[in-house]
Amino acid sequence: MKRPLRYLVPLVVFGVLVVFLGRGLFLNPQEVPSPLIGKPAPEFTLPRLHNAAAQFSSRDLRGQVWLLNVWASWCVACRQEHPLLVELSRQGIVPIYGLNYKDHREDAIRWLQELGDPYVASAYDVDGKVGFDYGVYGVPETYVIDKQGIIRYKQIGPITPDALQNRILPLVRELQAS
Amino acid sequence: MFLPLLISLWALPWLPAGALAGEAEPLVADPVIEARMAALSKELRCLVCQGQAIAESDSDFAKDVRKVMRTLMEQGRSDQEIMDFLVQRYGDFILFRPPVKGTTALLWVGPFLLLLIAAAILVRTLQRRRQVAAAEALSPEEVRRAEALLAGKDGSIDGNSSSGEPGRGHTRHTDEGDKV
């Protein structure tokens, strides 16, 4: 190695480190990639939120693309994404189903009455068992599930307008076309 | 007056975690299951608190995981089955010790690779230094001059030359120059 080049080695090593650390600085450590993406969505049957006697079964949704939104009335960030969901349901692009997670039934129903109900139906997961099967660790979380019942995308935390326009909706259209 | 307060402050960190967490102890504690719980929950990361283990955390997430673990143990599942069950839902990230596989190979081999590279550089540097030292060894002529200098016999350095003939070596040099 020629002499002048040799003195550049530490600079290059430093540069590589800066790139790696700089990238790490802008990653969100709270966002843990889900191992469920590309895998079949865990099947579940739960009582419905509005009607405890009626069942909600994920199997009934085969053959269509749908969103599963995990929410709770105690969840502050759910309030933040809620107007987006209401707007999305009004557009009728894709059905949204709710998984009401570790909530009180009356609180949840009142919450929907106040803020609007974007869900075709909500399942009532009082002890969080179904949420656990879906790897839920922070509410809200939203799953895009395809016609074969495979999870194709998971949004951890509230849906942002950016995530909706650039990731979720394009994916939904693609899945609906296939 | 302050002594009781001091004692209680000192004792605070030593209280069992459950005493502060207010978590309900199981009604019938099975010592085998409790021991397994204690060991296994130290190996698992609390996803919402990241730096903490499931064993240490008081978050709802950690409580849920402990509850599920206990249920599975009561059903007679092995530690490995329970870990697989959790990894299936939350990914390898829930394990403090990631498994060895394609995507984690660099993580496991990396430090040893760096050590190997460092050792190679060290060996090369030492070899090169030995070569340089050999190249710089004195010739017999130089050794003789150095010995003469040390003995104080050479007159070519002013300080060592006799006071009567300053610059003798210099004169001789010009003589030789004339001959050529």
Side-chain angles (χ1 to χ4, degrees):
Chain A
M1 209 184 286
K2 281 181 187 161
R3 267 192 183 256
L5 278 178
R6 214 167 117 169
Y7 294 116
L8 285 177
V9 170
L11 191 68
V12 170
V13 171
F14 176 73
V16 169
L17 265 180
V18 165
V19 168
F20 271 90
L21 294 178
R23 172 108 180 85
L25 211 55
F26 294 101
L27 290 178
N28 179 5
Q30 295 287 335
E31 218 167 274
V32 180
S34 172
L36 286 168
I37 287 167
K39 301 236 171 74
E43 286 191 357
F44 64 91
T45 303
L46 284 173
R48 287 174 183 250
L49 176 66
H50 287 96
N51 179 3
Q55 295 284 306
F56 178 103
S57 175
S58 63
R59 205 169 312 159
D60 299 343
L61 300 171
R62 280 289 165 86
Q64 59 175 321
V65 180
W66 56 291
L67 302 188
L68 180 68
N69 177 247
V70 185
W71 67 281
S73 67
W74 47 261
C75 152
V76 181
C78 297
R79 240 167 232 276
Q80 190 188 324
E81 72 168 6
H82 204 73
L84 265 179
L85 291 176
V86 172
E87 178 56 32
L88 183 62
S89 81
R90 195 170 297 143
Q91 289 168 352
I93 299 168
V94 60
I96 310 168
Y97 289 85
L99 184 70
N100 182 240
Y101 181 71
K102 290 193 190 172
D103 209 346
H104 297 291
R105 201 184 283 273
E106 314 81 61
D107 294 347
I109 292 172
R110 198 179 318 126
W111 197 81
L112 290 180
Q113 278 167 353
E114 270 173 35
L115 299 169
D117 185 351
Y119 307 110
V120 180
S122 270
Y124 184 56
D125 186 20
V126 64
D127 54 4
K129 225 171 214 157
V130 170
F132 197 88
D133 282 342
Y134 274 79
V136 170
Y137 65 90
V139 195
E141 292 188 10
T142 306
Y143 298 80
V144 178
I145 299 169
D146 73 5
K147 292 176 186 171
Q148 284 77 41
I150 311 281
I151 296 178
R152 303 304 290 258
Y153 177 80
K154 178 183 179 184
Q155 173 80 26
I156 297 163
I159 296 176
T160 58
D162 175 61
L164 184 66
Q165 290 307 325
N166 297 323
R167 309 193 74 168
I168 296 174
L169 286 181
L171 179 65
V172 163
R173 284 196 196 98
E174 185 191 319
L175 293 173
Q176 281 173 338
S178 67
Chain B
M1 271 293 105
F2 290 109
L3 202 60
L5 182 70
L6 274 175
I7 289 171
S8 62
L9 275 178
W10 174 83
L12 207 57
W14 307 103
L15 286 171
L20 288 174
E23 194 182 342
E25 287 292 311
L27 285 177
V28 186
D30 178 340
V32 179
I33 283 184
E34 291 315 303
R36 282 177 64 199
M37 281 292 295
L40 194 58
S41 58
K42 280 196 195 103
E43 293 287 317
L44 300 168
R45 176 185 279 115
C46 167
L47 290 189
V48 291
C49 21
Q50 307 229 333
Q52 279 185 312
I54 292 291
E56 301 156 348
S57 173
D58 195 31
S59 67
D60 281 344
F61 175 76
K63 283 179 193 163
D64 277 359
V65 173
R66 284 196 295 261
K67 200 164 76 185
V68 168
M69 285 167 68
R70 196 168 267 128
T71 312
L72 291 174
M73 282 181 187
E74 281 158 4
Q75 287 171 7
R77 307 265 208 111
S78 73
D79 286 0
Q80 190 55 52
E81 282 173 327
I82 293 170
M83 291 230 251
D84 291 346
F85 180 89
L86 293 171
V87 166
Q88 216 185 332
R89 284 158 181 76
Y90 291 98
D92 288 337
F93 195 69
I94 200 168
L95 305 173
F96 271 123
R97 281 189 278 185
V100 184
K101 56 183 193 185
T103 48
T104 59
L106 195 64
L107 192 67
W108 284 96
V109 182
F112 299 105
L113 218 64
L114 282 179
L115 192 69
L116 225 69
I117 292 171
I121 291 175
L122 181 69
V123 166
R124 242 188 64 172
T125 310
L126 288 178
Q127 270 175 353
R128 192 176 292 171
R129 193 171 290 176
R130 199 171 301 153
Q131 279 169 7
V132 168
E136 283 176 354
L138 298 175
S139 67
E141 166 64 20
E142 284 169 326
V143 170
R144 225 174 299 130
R145 250 190 85 201
E147 276 168 357
L149 277 170
L150 284 169
K153 280 176 191 163
D154 195 293
S156 61
I157 294 170
D158 286 350
N160 280 349
S161 63
S162 60
S163 51
E165 291 177 289
R168 200 187 79 189
H170 187 72
T171 320
R172 195 201 287 157
H173 183 71
T174 43
D175 284 349
E176 278 168 8
D178 283 345
K179 274 177 202 164
V180 175

